[in-house]
Each structure stands twice: as C-alpha cells, then as structure tokens.
Amino acid sequence: MAHNNYTSPSYTASYRILLDEAVTSLSQVVTAIGDTGASIKGMDVVGQEEERIKVDITCDTSDSEHRRRISDVLGGLTGVELRTVADQTFLLHIDGKIQMQPKAPIRNRDDLSRVYTPGVARVCQALYDEPRKAYGLTMKSNSVAVLTDGTAVLGMGDIGPTAALPVMEGKAVLFKQFGGVDAWPVVLDTKDTEEIIRIAKAIAPAYGGINLEDISAPRCFEIERRLKEELDIPVFHDDQHGTAIVTLAALTNALKLVGKKIEDVRIVVSGVGAAGSAIIKLLQAQGARDIVGYGRAGALNADEVTDDMNADRRWLAENTNPRRVKGSLKEGLVDADVFIGVSQGNILQPEDLKVMAKDAIVFAMANPTPEVDPVGAAEYAAIVATGRSDFPNQINNVLAFPGLFRGIFDAKVSEITTELLRVAAVAIAEAIPEDKLRPTYIIPGVFDKRVPRSVANAVREAARVLPHIETVAQESARPLDDIDEKLWPSPDEVTQH
C-alpha cells in the first residue's frame, strides 16, 4: 500500500514486543520494520519473560496508517508477540501540555495572608487608585492571551475550539520556552466577529497582550483591526505577522546569496489570505516593488476589482501587480525571481519552476504538504525553504513571536507597528553572519537562543528611537535587567495601603 515518503517525529511510535530469538532474530524484526519505510530511532531490551526477551522499538512513521501497518507486520512474524503500541505524540499530550505554578511557595500562615486575604486587599486598593500599576504588581506585565475560535487551524481548517486547544497549549509552551512569556490559551465557542471582539475586550484587563491564532480570513482582519483600535494593549495575529516576519528574514538572506536586491526582483505569492496578505505588506515595507498575489481565481489585478471584494483583498489588488499580470499561477511564474507559497499542497510540479528566472528562490510553506515537492524543486531553484522541520530552511514562526513579545513587554509598547515587525525580521536575518550563509542555511534554527534575545533587543531599541510608537509608560522602556520604579508603589504608598 502506498504511503507518504516522509517520516516525521510527529508520528513517532514505540512498539513493545516479546521475542523468541530461537524462532526469529531481532535483526529480522528490524528489517521487517525498515521495509515499511519507517525510520528506526531506538531499540532497547527492557526485560525478559521466560524464554522471550522484551524489546521496545521506537521509530518515526509517516502517518497513522503507516503506524498501524507496522503493527500488522509485527503481528505476522512468528516468534513475535506485540504487547503495546505507544504513540509518542499522544503520550506528550496526556492531561495537556501546560500547567500553572506559583512563583513563590505558600509555606505558612504569614505567606498565605500576603498572597491572599487579608494582605492582597492592600494591593487591590493600590491598583484601584492607579490601574497602571498592574504592570508592576500583577501578571499583566508578562502575559499574553492566545485567542482562537478554531476556524483556521493549520492543515485542518475549521475544527472548532476544543480540537484547537492542543495547538494553543503548544503555542503557550513556545512563548515560555523561547521568550520567557507566560501565555494562556483562550478558546472561544463562537464564530461571531462582534462576539469575539467583545470577549477579547472583556478579558483584556488581565493580559499585557493578545495573540490571535487560527481565525479564518477575512474575519481575522476585522477582528485584529478593531481590537487594535479599541484596546490599549498590543494585538498580534501570528498567522499573519509572525509568518511575514520570518518570511522576510529568510528572503533577506536568500537574496544576499543570489546577489539580488528586493526592490529589483519579481515576487509571486500563492495564497492571499491572512499570511499572504501580511507577507506582501511587510515585503513592501522592506522595499519590494513587483509583487503579484494569486488566489484561486488567478492573479489579483487592479483592473479586475469588483464591488463585492472584501476590503483587504481589494487593497491587495490595487496596491500590487504593477505590471497588471493576469492569468494562472503557472503562467505568472515566468521570469519570476521568487515564489512564496502560503496556500495548499501539491499545486505545482517541480518542472513548473523551469520558467523562473536564474537563481530562483522558492519558499513552499504550505503544511504539512508543501506547494511543490522540495526535493524536486531544488533541481530548478537555487534556494528552497519550507514550513517543515524535516527539510533545510524551515520558515517557523517560533523565531519571531517569543522575542517580539519579549521586546514589546520590556518596552511597554501598546501597539505593534509595521516598523516593529520589520526590525524583528532584520534581527532574525542578521543572526546569521553573511560569511556563514549557505543555500541550505538562510534562516537560524528554532533552538538558536540568540534569536529571541536579538529580536527583543531590536524591538526595544525601535520603541526607543521611534517617538510615534505609543507605550503604556514611555519612561518605562528599559533593559531586561532593570526595574522601572515608576511602575511600583513608593514606600509612602505601601504604608498608606
């Protein structure tokens, strides 16, 4: 039976077997598993029962059907008894991936009286008198709500709030791991735009920022726009702007390698939803002039604007495609220098890229299946990137959002501007020295600890030098290791309360 050629850590399975080596050797078992296309990662003899050895075999598979096929293969071998199959991804999710822990232990009655009643009333009174001090006396200074309705979950679409919760938990883990930011999943059982806006505004007092996640277009544009207008905390839509930041970073370094300038290249973007729209706007902010966006009906073109177009798509049609290109995506690839895909898998064949300009750059970022096979694309393009972790040059938003929020929280920024997004992208790109750039290394690895720090520093510096950026307390923009005493009660205030 045919199966996906790519094994993945997201489909890691562990098989516990009892093996009678007098009948079947362990090497025969390994060969049988390998013949299915699995990648064996580990094999441990963990015990013995009578004359049989107990063995745990762990391997990466390509999908659930592949995992089950291995079970059938093992079950069909003489001298082998399959005891258990453990899906490592599901095991990692048991009881969720996050938990709340206190920052200080409650060891006695004195601790309890300070953390809770009656002592907490003094802090409540201080915040009632001056709400701004919530940034110094509550979790607000370092917390973000990861808010979704589950209508546009990557690779799955509209799966609803409950099914989306594991993604939001994962996002919260990444915020903490890479940026030291406390994030809280907020999944909403509504698709109503006005209700989502109302709920977000209602919960905002507890948070220093809101990260919108996996909300379908075009509703996500209106939700983000309204919340930015009506809240005094930063609002960020990662599907749009996180993707745009990392895409610009990768493209910046790719263009260095091929000796081209962003203002001179022809760029084709497949997919003009949330991510595609934000990518186009951020590339333009960096100087790109010739971008053509493609939706299901073909190229966006100012000559074909209609009255029923939503405002965001209309803006793209009127502000891109200066050559008035028309037709299909494949036709639009002719002489293009850059292809950026944020649409759907397998819409192109590798040979379709032959018509692109010399030293073409291809970012096929649809997940889990890229727009074009990356291995085949490398035969025609100088540089290839994807959204997958099992190919070089992964365009991964985790390079952007933890450091971005770390920086805006440190600087007390109340609005995330295009300039902050742009400087974040430049910081990511500059994490790789030019003499270290390679066609397979245009973007830092997600575990490069320098990246979130560099992004945070760049955002903090931009907030200082750009006076038009509003902050919660402009005088409180500070380094990580400083404390802004203006956000804390004075000794006199502590005595009064």
Side-chain angles (χ1 to χ4, degrees):
M1 185 178 296
H3 61 84
N4 189 331
N5 290 325
Y6 306 120
T7 60
S8 168
S10 64
Y11 285 100
T12 300
S14 295
Y15 301 84
R16 173 162 290 183
I17 63 172
L18 286 179
L19 175 64
D20 185 347
E21 291 185 289
V23 178
T24 299
S25 69
L26 188 53
S27 63
Q28 288 175 305
V29 174
V30 170
T31 299
I33 293 174
D35 286 345
T36 71
S39 300
I40 296 177
K41 303 178 71 174
M43 184 170 53
D44 302 287
V45 177
V46 295
Q48 186 169 344
E49 288 189 13
E50 298 176 347
E51 300 301 317
R52 298 183 295 176
I53 60 171
K54 188 184 297 181
V55 184
D56 286 345
I57 303 174
T58 301
C59 55
D60 285 349
T61 67
S62 56
D63 51 33
S64 296
E65 189 278 328
H66 189 188
R67 185 191 70 237
R68 288 189 289 268
R69 189 164 70 256
I70 294 172
S71 296
D72 293 340
V73 167
L74 291 172
L77 294 175
T78 56
V80 175
E81 178 186 342
L82 178 60
R83 279 288 181 87
T84 60
V85 181
D87 186 309
Q88 297 296 326
T89 297
F90 276 82
L91 287 176
L92 187 64
H93 285 76
I94 290 176
D95 294 329
K97 300 189 292 289
I98 60 174
Q99 62 183 6
M100 196 282 286
Q101 288 185 320
K103 294 172 69 174
I106 301 175
R107 298 160 298 189
N108 50 49
R109 289 181 181 275
D110 288 348
D111 290 340
L112 180 60
S113 69
R114 296 184 188 108
V115 169
Y116 199 50
T117 186
V120 71
R122 297 172 54 218
V123 181
C124 294
Q125 183 64 50
L127 300 187
Y128 179 78
D129 293 341
E130 194 170 349
R132 186 171 65 92
K133 289 177 180 172
Y135 285 93
L137 292 170
T138 73
M139 72 178 202
K140 188 178 180 75
S141 64
N142 192 51
S143 66
V144 57
V146 183
L147 188 147
T148 189
D149 62 0
T151 54
V153 178
L154 185 65
M156 291 179 283
D158 186 355
I159 60 175
T162 301
L165 182 55
V167 179
M168 306 310 123
E169 287 185 356
K171 200 60 172 280
V173 171
L174 298 179
F175 264 112
K176 188 66 174 180
Q177 174 90 10
F178 294 102
V181 173
D182 294 317
W184 309 84
V186 179
V187 294
L188 306 182
D189 190 13
T190 177
K191 299 179 185 179
D192 182 83
T193 296
E194 291 300 324
E195 187 171 13
I196 291 172
I197 292 170
R198 182 185 63 77
I199 294 171
K201 291 170 63 177
I203 67 171
Y207 300 99
I210 291 179
N211 181 94
L212 300 174
E213 192 81 16
D214 295 343
I215 300 174
S216 62
R219 296 157 53 252
C220 60
F221 302 120
E222 174 68 7
I223 291 169
E224 182 197 21
R225 183 185 65 78
R226 289 273 303 282
L227 290 179
K228 281 186 170 182
E229 290 175 355
E230 299 173 25
L231 288 176
D232 61 357
I233 59 175
V235 177
F236 182 72
H237 186 199
D238 188 50
D239 300 318
Q240 291 187 67
H241 306 303
T243 306
I245 289 170
V246 186
T247 300
L248 173 56
L251 183 59
T252 298
N253 283 341
L255 290 172
K256 290 176 185 176
L257 277 176
V258 298
K260 298 180 182 180
K261 296 181 179 180
I262 195 168
E263 60 267 27
D264 299 330
V265 295
R266 293 182 177 181
I267 302 171
V268 166
V269 177
S270 173
V272 285
S277 174
I279 287 170
I280 289 170
K281 291 176 181 178
L282 193 57
L283 295 184
Q284 288 178 330
Q286 187 67 359
R289 294 186 290 211
D290 192 334
I291 305 176
V292 183
Y294 285 82
R296 291 185 180 89
L300 292 185
N301 190 316
D303 296 335
E304 298 174 0
V305 168
T306 60
D307 293 337
D308 60 348
M309 266 188 175
N310 71 66
D312 295 283
R313 182 160 292 206
R314 185 187 189 100
W315 187 96
L316 289 175
E318 293 175 343
N319 291 275
T320 61
N321 197 353
R323 292 177 289 114
R324 296 295 194 268
V325 174
K326 299 182 180 180
S328 69
L329 174 62
K330 291 181 182 180
E331 293 170 326
L333 289 174
V334 176
D335 294 329
D337 298 281
V338 179
F339 168 80
I340 297 173
V342 279
S343 50
Q344 58 185 353
N346 291 328
I347 58 173
L348 294 172
Q349 295 300 313
E351 52 269 25
D352 294 330
L353 307 177
K354 289 192 296 185
V355 298
M356 294 183 70
K358 182 182 178 183
D359 292 328
I361 297 167
V362 172
F363 291 177
M365 299 190 293
N367 242 324
T369 305
E371 284 83 358
V372 59
D373 176 67
V375 176
E379 297 180 17
Y380 302 98
I383 298 171
V384 178
T386 73
R388 293 178 59 117
S389 61
D390 49 357
F391 291 101
N393 298 327
Q394 183 190 20
I395 308 291
N396 193 321
N397 291 16
V398 74
L399 289 167
F401 64 82
L404 177 72
F405 268 91
R406 178 74 277 140
I408 64 176
F409 281 168
D410 292 341
K412 297 294 184 291
V413 172
S414 63
E415 179 186 4
I416 301 175
T417 65
T418 299
E419 179 61 11
L420 293 184
L421 304 179
R422 193 193 67 79
V423 299
V426 171
I428 294 170
E430 291 180 347
I432 304 178
E434 287 196 32
D435 62 343
K436 301 295 184 183
L437 290 173
R438 299 290 183 274
T440 55
Y441 184 46
I442 60 168
I443 197 77
V446 296
F447 293 102
D448 189 332
K449 295 180 180 179
R450 300 171 303 154
V451 173
R453 171 70 65 166
S454 296
V455 172
N457 288 341
V459 169
R460 226 170 24 244
E461 183 61 26
R464 288 195 185 103
V465 302
L466 297 175
H468 67 278
I469 295 181
E470 294 184 11
T471 61
V472 174
Q474 185 67 44
E475 73 276 10
S476 72
R478 53 176 170 71
L480 277 171
D481 55 357
D482 252 357
I483 293 177
D484 181 6
E485 295 180 354
K486 292 183 173 60
L487 292 179
W488 292 77
S490 68
D492 290 342
E493 290 174 311
V494 171
T495 303
Q496 291 170 8
H497 297 304

